[in-house]
Amino acid sequence: MDACLTVEREVDKVKSKFDSYSANFNKQVEEQLKQLVELKKRISEGEENEVNSVHKTDLKLLTLKISECIGKLAVDHRDLHSTVSKVGKSIDRNFGHDFDSTYKEEFFSGPSKEHLLNEVILQHLYRQGQLDISEALAQESGIHEYKSQKEPFIQINNILQALKARDLEPALTWAEQNREALNLNGKNVLCFEERGRTTVQQKSTLELRLHKLKFIKLLSEGDRMKAILYARKNFPRFVQGEEKEIQSLMAALMYSGPELATSPYAHLLDPNHWVEIEDMFLRDSCALLGLSVESPLGVAVEAGCLTLPALLNFKHVMTDRKEGTSDKLMTTLVDVWNGRDELPIEIDLPNQMRFHSVFACPILRQQVSDGNPPMRLICGHVISKDALSKLSSSHSKLKCPYCPVEQNPAEAKKIVF
Ligand SMILES: [Zn+2]
């Protein structure tokens, strides 16, 4: 952000210089033009429309003045170049990182990888509701199998737009159509007695929340009778487990129209309820589609942006050291960077960006893989298979690196997460 502000300051300087130059330029040119027109007029008004010696002197003087003025303008214009080039230098200074050094070409090259990348971009565009551009990309990349995914995204986007415009109908229709599936994914667990048996039921609160907002809307519009009829028609099926909430809504019926805003139920009018319902709808609809709420591409780009500064720093430090020393270890580390699939340093990302945690060996500091799975020692400590074979290569007995327990390496068990 600081980098952006620094560059912006330089751009502002250029803008103000351009403005003052342009104002000065126009003023000067107009001045010279005016004098030329005056001289022309004087000549045409003179005797027989002839150029006399006075005119000649005036013309000479004026020509001199004009060329002097042009000279000045040219010098000022040259000054502009240095201000403009300062912007370029500022960009280089603040953003001029060598991103190539953090990028491995083979990740995205090749037809299958390009296809995969296009698919991810396409899905992102569908999520954003950018239908025109996604259509163009689908055509150009020849990806058509994703079209089936487009419809649900269009529907979700339309409903979200309607919610933003405080129109609840499309969301209510959707929630009613998907009631069963929504309840299966619901986070509310209800326990109730039925014929002597305790029954547990999962419930989604989305539909009730939508009805609640509709009810409050009717009430705040001053139509109490309409609100009562709406509540009678829609609330009974949600009463179980939500008694308190519905009781409170019923009590709010004492106030309607502008009264509601100054009543003890004014909190029902909080605009945050609308923000929350959008969020809730998005989460629930994505869950039904089996999709993450956040766009995978968005998360990847954001995580990349957070990671880049640390990677660039690491790369610079490593490159500098490599140039300055013939130390073998350093050379190996740079080669690790160039040759492996994993990042050479650990980078902390916020919790919401952590998915599918992978066990990293505490000895070798490598993530485990199919070929190098995690192994549980009999003492309960876990290390990678590579570490186990390295530690036990010369002895038949292995001493756990974390506790004093001695054991036979063959007794370690592979762990499957
Ligand atoms: Zn141990």
Side-chain angles (χ1 to χ4, degrees), residues 155-342:
Q155 198 187 16
I156 290 177
N157 265 308
N158 287 343
I159 296 174
L160 270 180
Q161 290 310 320
L163 281 177
K164 279 191 175 54
R166 308 232 160 159
D167 174 9
L168 290 155
E169 293 311 322
L172 274 166
T173 316
W174 182 88
E176 207 182 310
Q177 282 166 357
N178 295 285
R179 190 180 293 152
E180 219 166 292
L182 280 170
N183 280 337
L184 281 178
N185 280 328
K187 294 213 171 71
N188 261 16
V189 180
L190 287 181
C191 293
F192 51 90
E193 296 280 328
E194 209 175 44
R195 283 179 231 132
R197 280 172 58 194
T198 309
T199 314
V200 180
Q201 202 183 52
Q202 262 178 298
K203 250 189 163 176
S204 156
T205 50
L206 179 70
E207 205 179 343
L208 174 62
R209 301 254 158 268
L210 290 164
H211 282 305
K212 185 180 151 184
L213 280 175
K214 177 86 185 183
F215 170 80
I216 296 163
K217 207 176 163 208
L218 290 172
L219 206 56
S220 66
E221 283 163 6
D223 204 335
R224 196 175 301 181
M225 202 54 219
K226 231 179 175 176
I228 292 174
L229 290 174
Y230 191 82
R232 269 196 198 149
K233 187 178 166 213
N234 296 293
F235 287 162
R237 85 174 77 101
F238 302 103
V239 169
Q240 208 165 36
E242 303 283 350
E243 293 85 354
K244 275 241 155 87
E245 170 113 42
I246 290 176
Q247 273 168 9
S248 154
L249 288 174
M250 291 303 101
L253 271 169
M254 285 190 288
Y255 307 91
S256 68
E259 282 179 334
L260 195 61
T262 51
S263 75
Y265 298 94
H267 60 90
L268 295 175
L269 295 169
D270 190 340
N272 268 337
H273 293 311
W274 289 89
V275 180
E276 281 166 17
I277 201 77
E278 279 174 36
D279 204 42
M280 194 172 181
F281 166 74
L282 190 65
R283 276 174 198 284
D284 285 1
S285 53
C286 284
L288 282 199
L289 286 173
L291 294 165
S292 58
V293 176
E294 307 290 340
S295 148
L297 182 66
V299 174
V301 169
E302 209 180 321
C305 290
L306 288 173
T307 310
L308 264 182
L311 286 183
L312 284 167
N313 272 345
F314 175 80
K315 178 78 182 177
H316 289 155
V317 171
M318 284 305 146
T319 319
D320 286 354
R321 288 203 194 170
K322 194 184 176 187
E323 277 163 9
T325 167
S326 59
D327 190 280
K328 260 197 173 163
L329 176 72
M330 289 305 155
T331 319
T332 330
L333 279 172
V334 178
D335 290 341
V336 164
W337 169 273
N338 293 329
R340 299 286 289 260
D341 260 5
E342 59 195 57

Side-chain angles (χ1 to χ4, degrees), residues 12-68:
D12 285 343
K13 273 188 207 164
V14 172
K15 266 180 41 220
S16 81
K17 276 218 166 177
F18 261 92
D19 287 345
S20 68
Y21 178 78
S22 141
N24 184 40
F25 180 88
N26 289 334
K27 198 178 137 208
Q28 297 284 343
V29 171
E30 263 169 39
E31 182 99 345
Q32 307 308 329
L33 263 174
K34 207 172 117 195
Q35 291 197 26
L36 270 173
V37 171
E38 266 172 25
L39 183 64
K40 195 179 162 197
K41 203 175 152 202
R42 279 213 304 279
I43 293 171
S44 62
E45 280 169 358
E47 276 175 32
E48 291 170 15
N49 210 357
E50 263 185 25
V51 181
N52 60 31
S53 59
V54 180
H55 294 147
K56 275 183 187 160
T57 332
D58 283 354
L59 192 61
K60 232 181 203 170
L61 277 173
L62 194 56
T63 320
L64 268 174
K65 245 175 135 184
I66 291 175
S67 63
E68 199 180 303

